[in-house]
Amino acid sequence: MSGPMSPNRARSSSWQERLQGGRTAWSSTVTIPSPSSTHSNQILQARYWYDGQYVHNAKEDAAEVAFRTLTNSTSPGGVGGIGGLSGGNASGYSAGMSGALSPVSPSTSGPVWANPETRGPLDEYDQRVHDGRLKDDDHQRGIVQNLQDLHHMLAEYHPPKVVHPTISSLKPHSNSLLGSLFGRGPPKKLATQIPPNLPKGLYMYGDVGSGKTMLMDMFYDTLPPNITSKTRVHFHSFMQDVHHRLHIMKMEHGDDLDAILYVAADIAEKGSVLCFDEFQCTDVADAMILRRLLEALMTHGVVLVTTSNRHPTDLYKNGIQRSSFIPCINLLLTRLRVLNLDSHTDYRKIPRPPSGVYHHPLDRAATSHAEKWFRFLGDPDHDPVHAAVHTVWGRDVEVPKASGKCAWFTFEELIGRATGAADYLELCRRYGAFVVTGVPGMSYRERDLARRFITFIDAVYESHAKLVLTSAVPLYQLFMSPTEVGAALEKGRESGAVGQEVEGEGVDDTMRLMMDDLGLSMQMLKSSSIFSGDEERFAFSRALSRLSEMGGREWVERGLGLERRGGRGEKEGWERVRSRRFEDMM
C-alpha cells in the first residue's frame, strides 16, 4: 500500500511481535476493513510460532482464532485487541457467526471479504487491483480465472489416502527354479491408475517478467482450507531431493529396486498439491525418470501446478535420448492445462485466451474455456449473442448461440440431430469459427455419431475455420477407447504391423502419436476389427490428423488480426482468402 502508515498499521507490528511467543500451530491472514479514509483495508497477518519455528498448516478455523486473539480482553492497548488496533475501542467492527471480522456499515469502497478462508485467487487479484498494487489487465485476469477454476475444484476435492508399496513388491521376481519352488513368483501388480476425480493441474509458461511467480504466489496462498498439506518448491531443488532419495533407497535395498514408486509415495504424503517453480529438464538423469515420477504422484492423488519458461513440447529439446522424454511431454499435455502467460491482443485490444482451443475433461474449467474463446472469436460488443436460423435445401438449421462470425453448439445440438454434410458446409460458409461443447468419447457403439462428427471436422478443415472443443476425453480417445487401442496394439505387434513397445511408453503415448502420424494411425486401425474397411479407417485416421493440425498455433492464430501479425489488415486479408476459397468450391 502506498501513503503514510496509519495508526492501525503501526500497531499491527507490535501485536504480531507479542504473538510470536505463542505456541499455537497455525497461520492466518485476516483482512480488517479500516474506518480510515486513507486506507480502506488493513491486512494483519497473525503468525503463530511453535518452539521458534513458523508452522504452515492450519488445523482450526483461522479467522475464528484470529478474532478471538485480537479481541482478547487481556491484550494490551485498550478494552480488547481490536481496541488496541483502532485507538482504544472496537466501534465500527462486529463479529459474524464464523468469527470473521466485518464492518458494521459499508464506509469503505472496493472489495471486502468477511471470511478470508473463502478467498480465492480472483478475490486476491481484485484486492490488489483495488489497492493499486496491480493494474487491471484482461489477459492477466483471464489467467487468474483459470487459477480460480482450479481453486473451486480443489475445494471439493478429497485426495485418496497415500498407500506405500512394500519393498518386496518393488523387487523383480525371480525366474530361478529355487524361486519357483519357494513361492517367489511375480509380485502383485501395483495399481498405477490415476484417480478419475483428480483435478486437472496447470502448466503456466511465459517469458521473464510475465508474472509467473506472482501468479503462483496468488494460487498457493489462497488454496482452500480443505487442502491441509501443500508443497511449493523450485523444480531444480525438487529433482536434487528426488535423486538423493533414490540413491539412499538403492543403497539400502539394492540397485534392482524400483524406488521411484516408493519415493513418490513419500512426496505425496507431504502435500496433495505440489507447486513447482521453473519446471525444466536439462539433465538426461531427470529425463529418464520424470514421466514415471509425475505419473506416480498423480496416482496418489497429487495435483500438480507448475511454471516454466517453455511450452511442454519445447522441453529438453536436442537432449540426449529425448525420445525417452516424449512420454513425459505427453503426460504434461494430457494431465495439465497449458496456459501461455505472454499476452497477445488482436486489433480490438482483446487478449487471445491463454489456453489451447481443445479442453478436457468436462470439468468446471470447461465452461470458462468455451466462454473465453466464444467472446474472442465472436464480437459480443457489436453483435450481442443471439440465436440464428439458416435454411439449407428447404430445411431450417438452428444455431443456438451466434455472435459475429462465431457459432456455439453443444455436441447434441450439432451432431445429435439429423444433420449432414450440406448443413455443415452452409454453416462454414456463414461462420469462420465454431465452439462445440460436451463432446463425448465415441467407441464402436457410437459409430454413427462419430461418422457425422468426422464429416463436420472435414467441413471445418476444408473451409479453414477455427474449432474450439470441450470433450470428456482427450482428443486421441474420441474415436477409440484405450481398451480398443490396447487390443489393436497387441494384434499389430503379433502380426508385425506395429513396432514393439518402447520402455516407458503406454497406450496413451501411442494414441497421441496417432494424431501426428497418419501412417502409424492407419497401421493401428488396420490391426483393429472395429472398422468396416480401409475407407472408414482412413476417414478416422485423417480426422485425428486434422484435429491435430487445427489445434496448432499457426492454424489458430491465422486470420485473428493479432497485432503482432498485422492487426485488422491481416484479418481482412484472410477473410478475402476464405471467401475466394468458397467461390472455388461452389
Side-chain angles (χ1 to χ4, degrees):
M1 293 177 201
S2 59
M5 183 179 289
S6 69
N8 292 8
R9 193 170 178 189
R11 290 267 190 167
S12 69
S13 61
S14 62
W15 70 258
Q16 285 184 4
E17 290 168 3
R18 292 197 299 271
L19 292 181
Q20 287 186 12
R23 298 174 63 86
T24 307
W26 66 271
S27 165
S28 171
T29 298
V30 184
T31 300
I32 304 181
S34 166
S36 164
S37 59
T38 306
H39 297 280
S40 59
N41 292 281
Q42 301 297 328
I43 297 179
L44 308 178
Q45 190 171 50
R47 291 184 174 177
Y48 276 68
W49 300 72
Y50 185 82
D51 289 342
Q53 291 194 346
Y54 180 53
V55 181
H56 288 271
N57 291 339
K59 292 298 183 184
E60 60 180 305
D61 185 353
E64 191 168 83
V65 177
F67 177 78
R68 192 166 58 247
T69 303
L70 293 174
T71 56
N72 192 314
S73 60
T74 62
S75 65
V79 177
I82 292 297
L85 292 173
S86 56
N89 66 78
S91 62
Y93 296 95
S94 66
M97 291 297 291
S98 65
L101 301 174
S102 58
V104 172
S105 60
S107 59
T108 64
S109 60
V112 172
W113 294 275
N115 185 355
E117 288 202 353
T118 64
R119 292 181 68 174
L122 199 54
D123 297 323
E124 178 63 23
Y125 182 79
D126 286 337
Q127 183 68 56
R128 294 187 188 189
V129 169
H130 176 259
D131 292 344
R133 290 178 287 164
L134 287 177
K135 180 182 177 181
D136 202 356
D137 177 84
D138 285 345
H139 177 72
Q140 203 165 63
R141 182 174 288 278
I143 297 286
V144 177
Q145 181 60 60
N146 288 288
L147 301 178
Q148 184 69 36
D149 290 337
L150 180 54
H151 176 93
H152 284 307
M153 287 185 277
L154 287 172
E156 302 170 354
Y157 177 57
H158 301 286
K161 181 179 175 59
V162 176
V163 178
H164 269 81
T166 62
I167 297 298
S168 61
S169 69
L170 302 176
K171 289 272 193 176
H173 68 276
S174 173
N175 292 321
S176 67
L177 177 61
L178 288 175
S180 60
L181 287 174
F182 290 98
R184 291 186 61 191
K188 186 177 179 180
K189 188 175 180 180
L190 297 175
T192 56
Q193 185 70 35
I194 295 176
N197 68 328
L198 180 72
K200 195 171 186 178
L202 295 174
Y203 183 106
M204 301 180 286
Y205 75 98
D207 292 334
V208 175
S210 58
K212 297 189 292 290
T213 300
M214 181 203 71
L215 291 166
M216 183 69 90
D217 287 340
M218 200 177 292
F219 174 77
Y220 188 82
D221 292 341
T222 59
L223 280 168
N226 60 299
I227 302 300
T228 57
S229 60
K230 57 185 181 180
T231 303
R232 181 177 176 181
V233 62
H234 192 281
F235 187 71
H236 180 66
S237 301
F238 172 77
M239 290 308 299
Q240 281 189 322
D241 178 63
V242 167
H243 285 297
H244 179 66
R245 290 170 183 251
L246 292 175
H247 176 72
I248 291 175
M249 289 288 292
K250 292 194 174 187
M251 288 287 289
E252 291 180 357
H253 303 287
D255 288 338
D256 58 350
L257 183 78
D258 185 6
I260 291 177
L261 298 179
Y262 198 93
V263 169
D266 274 347
I267 296 170
E269 281 188 328
K270 299 291 190 297
S272 55
V273 174
L274 178 55
C275 296
F276 292 133
D277 281 310
E278 303 297 339
F279 189 103
Q280 58 181 321
C281 183
T282 57
D283 187 277
V284 65
D286 293 349
M288 294 300 100
I289 66 170
L290 261 174
R291 160 64 186 263
R292 294 192 63 233
L293 175 65
L294 297 183
E295 191 168 46
L297 288 170
M298 293 179 189
T299 298
H300 290 298
V302 176
V303 178
L304 300 180
V305 178
T306 184
T307 66
S308 179
N309 293 328
R310 300 170 180 267
H311 187 277
T313 54
D314 292 330
L315 291 170
Y316 199 52
K317 263 196 168 177
N318 304 317
I320 300 172
Q321 300 182 42
R322 188 175 190 264
S323 59
S324 300
F325 187 68
I326 298 299
C328 181
I329 293 175
N330 292 339
L331 182 72
L332 295 174
L333 292 172
T334 304
R335 293 293 178 175
L336 304 184
R337 193 175 187 194
V338 180
L339 304 177
N340 185 356
L341 303 188
D342 298 326
S343 177
H344 299 296
T345 59
D346 67 3
Y347 65 95
R348 302 168 296 176
K349 306 299 182 185
I350 298 177
R352 177 198 187 278
S355 61
V357 289
Y358 305 141
H359 176 90
H360 84 278
L362 299 177
D363 54 14
R364 187 185 187 106
T367 302
S368 63
H369 172 85
E371 289 171 347
K372 288 173 191 170
W373 276 105
F374 183 62
R375 178 176 181 269
F376 182 69
L377 295 171
D379 192 11
D381 292 338
H382 300 96
D383 183 21
V385 179
H386 60 278
V389 178
H390 305 292
T391 302
V392 181
W393 292 358
R395 293 184 301 104
D396 287 343
V397 177
E398 298 178 4
V399 180
K401 291 182 184 178
S403 174
K405 289 290 186 179
C406 185
W408 181 341
F409 297 87
T410 66
F411 181 85
E412 182 62 28
E413 290 165 343
L414 181 66
I415 306 300
R417 297 174 180 174
T419 50
D423 304 308
Y424 305 144
L425 288 172
E426 177 63 18
L427 289 172
C428 289
R429 189 176 70 82
R430 292 179 177 271
Y431 300 97
F434 297 89
V435 176
V436 182
T437 57
V439 180
M442 291 161 275
S443 64
Y444 70 92
R445 296 183 183 86
E446 295 88 20
R447 278 292 173 257
D448 287 342
L449 288 177
R451 292 187 186 99
R452 204 174 299 161
F453 189 49
I454 287 173
T455 302
F456 171 71
I457 291 170
D458 289 340
V460 173
Y461 182 86
E462 295 294 344
S463 68
H464 284 257
K466 316 296 182 194
L467 181 60
V468 176
L469 300 176
T470 65
S471 58
V473 297
L475 289 192
Y476 55 81
Q477 293 181 14
L478 279 182
F479 307 126
M480 293 180 72
S481 69
T483 302
E484 291 170 339
V485 171
L489 264 175
E490 191 174 343
K491 274 190 176 181
R493 285 171 181 150
E494 288 175 357
S495 66
V498 179
Q500 293 303 306
E501 183 177 5
V502 177
E503 185 177 357
E505 189 173 273
V507 171
D508 273 5
D509 299 305
T510 303
M511 295 174 81
R512 280 198 64 88
L513 287 173
M514 287 171 64
M515 291 193 66
D516 302 323
D517 187 338
L518 189 58
L520 173 64
S521 182
M522 282 298 293
Q523 286 181 339
M524 281 292 305
L525 299 186
K526 280 183 178 179
S527 303
S528 172
S529 59
I530 61 177
F531 296 97
S532 60
D534 284 346
E535 187 175 342
E536 186 175 78
R537 292 188 185 102
F538 180 75
F540 278 79
S541 299
R542 186 179 61 189
L544 288 174
S545 177
R546 288 182 165 181
L547 282 171
S548 179
E549 185 178 353
M550 289 192 288
R553 180 174 178 177
E554 177 62 28
W555 185 287
V556 172
E557 294 188 349
R558 186 173 51 197
L560 290 182
L562 295 179
E563 288 184 313
R564 63 183 178 83
R565 296 179 67 115
R568 182 189 290 271
E570 189 264 350
K571 178 179 178 63
E572 292 174 348
W574 177 244
E575 287 176 349
R576 288 193 294 270
V577 170
R578 284 196 75 235
S579 178
R580 285 197 296 271
R581 181 178 294 274
F582 270 101
E583 290 175 4
D584 294 339
M585 290 170 62
M586 297 299 289

